[in-house]
């Protein structure tokens, strides 16, 4: 494959996600395979502005495929949001003779990358790394599958206590704007109710449904609540409201929090990261820029970044129906 690209920089930005290390490894090894130099940029856009770089060889990324987080570290850079900050970032790239960038992150990272591309016509390509799965142009973002498995495992453990003590547990999971984690992990863990921002069921319907469950002989229940769900003001207020209205229930709340973001990536995320890393580098080599790599129907494809961040991924109505039937 002939190309004008001689040196590629790779960074991770925004919230960390399992599989980011595997993606960095894939980028570095694909570069080595095609005899392109690879540079790791520490702390996302902030490290880019400050020139915090390290050459990456095929060997320098060994023993990381199985590690959660990102060894390049991630950061949120206010400075990159300014014209001056982006000018400094561009100077660093020129000084270090870097020809193109692979950006691993979420929609904020891609928005910044797109702006940078517009201003400097600098080649960029994105790899979606976020546990929320809230990006269009891919059926799966890196880290999402791992997070689902972590959440299912946590709910299984909580269910042991719920059934031993005949309790109703409200479990809050991540998902500020979207309910993918809540819906899929809730279904996988057999939750009785799943509350997501995309479908506000209302408090009355929740009470009715919980009462019905009790009357059909359920003594314990799990309600999975996405962080951004609007049924209650918070998961604690939601629990209080139900407690006041259904005094027969013994209620507890569990907020899973950051444990959902950590841990070793699943095999699925490692394979996805490897495939996306190869596609990202080879797309840059072909002269493509301003795209995001994604997986659609088991194929690795590229989508213009602008479409990936513009269209919000939506939840599957079929899946919601399955959840409803399963909670009978
Ligand atoms: P996550 O989905 O995990 O939050 P993200 O990539 O969306 O990941 P953000 O904090 O929104 O995370 O964005 C990461 C970085 O991208 C920001 O710290 C900032 O440096 C850059 N960025 C975000 N939005 C813009 C923007 N409008 N202009 C320039 N840079 C931006």
């Amino acid at each position: 494959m002939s190309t004008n690209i001689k040196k590629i920089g790779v960074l991770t930005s925004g919230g960390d996600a399992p599989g980011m290390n595997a993606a960095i490894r894939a980028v570095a090894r694909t570069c080595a395979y095609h005899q392109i130099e690879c540079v790791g940029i520490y702390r996302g856009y902030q490290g880019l502005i400050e020139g915090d770089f390290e050459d990456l060889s095929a060997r320098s990324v060994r023993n990381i495929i199985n590690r959660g987080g990102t060894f390049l570290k991630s950061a949120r850079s206010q400075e990159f949001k300014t014209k001056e900050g982006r000018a400094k970032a561009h100077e660093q790239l020129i000084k270090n003779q870097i020809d193109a960038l692979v950006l691993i992150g979420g929609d904020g990272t891609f928005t910044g990358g797109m702006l940078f591309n517009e201003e400097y016509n600098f080649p960029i390509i994105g790899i979606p790394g976020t546990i929320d799965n809230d990006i269009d142009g891919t059926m799966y973002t890196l880290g999402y599958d791992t997070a689902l498995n972590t959440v299912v495992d946590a709910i299984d453990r909580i269910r042991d206590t719920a059934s031993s003590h005949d309790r109703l547990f409200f479990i809050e999971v991540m998902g500020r704007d979207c309910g993918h984690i809540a819906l899929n992990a809730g279904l996988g863990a057999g939750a009785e109710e799943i509350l997501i921002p995309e479908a506000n069921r209302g408090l009355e319907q929740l009470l009715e449904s919980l009462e019905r469950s009790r009357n059909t002989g359920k003594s314990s229940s799990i309600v999975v609540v996405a962080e951004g769900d609007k049924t209650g003001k918070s998961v604690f207020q939601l629990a209080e409201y139900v407690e006041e209205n259904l005094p027969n229930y013994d209620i507890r709340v569990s907020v899973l929090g950051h444990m959902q973001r950590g841990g070793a990536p699943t095999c699925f995320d490692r394979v996805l990261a490897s495939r996306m890393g190869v596609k990202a580098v080879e797309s840059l080599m072909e002269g493509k820029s301003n795209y995001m790599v994604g997986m659609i129907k088991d194929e690795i494809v590229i989508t213009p970044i602008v479409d990936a961040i513009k269209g919000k991924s939506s939840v599957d109505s079929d899946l919601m129906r399955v959840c409803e039937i399963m909670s009978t």
Side-chain angles (χ1 to χ4, degrees):
M1 206 182 262
S2 74
T3 178
N4 295 328
I5 304 274
K6 296 195 172 53
K7 206 189 235 188
I8 289 179
V10 56
L11 59 81
T12 48
S13 161
D16 67 304
M20 281 184 162
N21 276 324
I24 299 164
R25 171 183 180 269
V27 168
R29 294 222 165 143
T30 310
C31 284
Y33 180 84
H34 290 292
Q35 277 133 35
I36 292 171
E37 284 180 68
C38 185
V39 175
I41 299 161
Y42 284 93
R43 297 178 292 114
Y45 289 129
Q46 198 53 40
L48 178 58
I49 290 168
E50 293 169 18
D52 194 359
F53 301 163
E54 185 189 329
D55 291 341
L56 297 180
S57 69
R59 294 287 73 77
S60 54
V61 289
R62 70 184 149 204
N63 294 335
I64 62 166
I65 192 169
N66 54 329
R67 281 167 47 196
T70 159
F71 90 95
L72 286 178
K73 303 193 183 295
S74 190
R76 304 201 194 257
S77 168
Q78 286 309 318
E79 205 178 346
F80 193 75
K81 290 188 174 175
T82 65
K83 239 181 168 8
E84 297 72 33
R86 292 193 294 278
K88 284 188 203 162
H90 186 245
E91 276 166 30
Q92 291 289 0
L93 290 166
I94 300 300
K95 193 168 115 194
N96 288 275
Q97 295 174 315
I98 296 171
D99 303 311
L101 281 175
V102 176
L103 311 170
I104 308 171
D107 59 353
T109 301
F110 297 157
T111 305
M114 224 168 56
L115 206 57
F116 189 67
N117 172 271
E118 255 170 51
E119 288 171 346
Y120 295 100
N121 194 24
F122 195 89
I124 56 145
I125 200 142
I127 294 181
T130 165
I131 65 166
D132 290 339
N133 209 35
D134 58 350
I135 293 178
D136 230 7
T138 187
M139 290 173 77
Y140 304 99
T141 55
L142 282 185
Y144 172 59
D145 183 68
T146 304
L148 282 185
N149 283 286
T150 304
V151 172
V152 165
D153 184 55
I155 299 176
D156 284 350
R157 287 161 195 262
I158 291 171
R159 189 181 282 286
D160 289 346
T161 301
S163 60
S164 303
H165 291 269
D166 286 343
R167 279 182 185 151
L168 165 61
F169 264 90
F170 282 86
I171 304 176
E172 188 191 90
V173 303
M174 279 188 174
R176 275 191 308 260
D177 306 308
C178 74
H180 290 290
I181 292 181
L183 199 57
N184 284 275
L187 182 59
E192 278 68 27
E193 300 291 333
I194 301 166
L195 307 180
I196 58 174
E198 293 89 341
N200 192 348
R201 297 188 51 203
L203 286 165
E204 290 315 308
Q205 217 183 326
L206 175 67
L207 287 183
E208 264 173 41
S209 182
L210 287 171
E211 204 152 27
R212 205 170 38 245
S213 285
R214 188 116 256 196
N215 294 339
T216 58
K218 276 190 185 169
S219 54
S220 66
S221 288
I222 300 286
V223 178
V224 173
V225 186
E227 232 178 336
D229 177 70
K230 304 281 183 299
T231 311
K233 281 194 184 123
S234 73
V235 70
F236 293 98
Q237 286 202 344
L238 194 60
E240 260 173 41
Y241 178 83
V242 173
E243 201 157 35
E244 277 163 20
N245 288 278
L246 300 176
N248 289 339
Y249 269 114
D250 181 13
I251 298 177
R252 295 289 186 279
V253 173
S254 181
V255 176
L256 297 188
H258 282 87
M259 59 94 75
Q260 296 165 89
R261 283 241 290 256
T266 55
C267 180
F268 181 90
D269 274 329
R270 298 179 199 195
V271 172
L272 184 65
S274 305
R275 294 178 72 187
M276 286 181 166
V278 170
K279 186 74 174 179
V281 171
E282 293 189 341
S283 298
L284 286 172
M285 289 173 69
E286 286 166 11
K288 305 245 165 55
S289 175
N290 239 356
Y291 284 90
M292 185 199 80
V293 180
M295 186 168 88
I296 295 176
K297 295 189 179 144
D298 205 37
E299 249 188 78
I300 301 295
V301 294
I302 55 172
T303 303
I305 282 196
V306 66
D307 295 338
I309 55 180
K310 180 173 69 186
K312 279 280 166 206
S313 62
S314 54
V315 293
D316 184 345
S317 54
D318 236 28
L319 195 62
M320 288 177 70
R321 192 168 164 267
V322 172
C323 290
E324 196 185 325
I325 295 172
M326 287 306 107
S327 64
T328 304

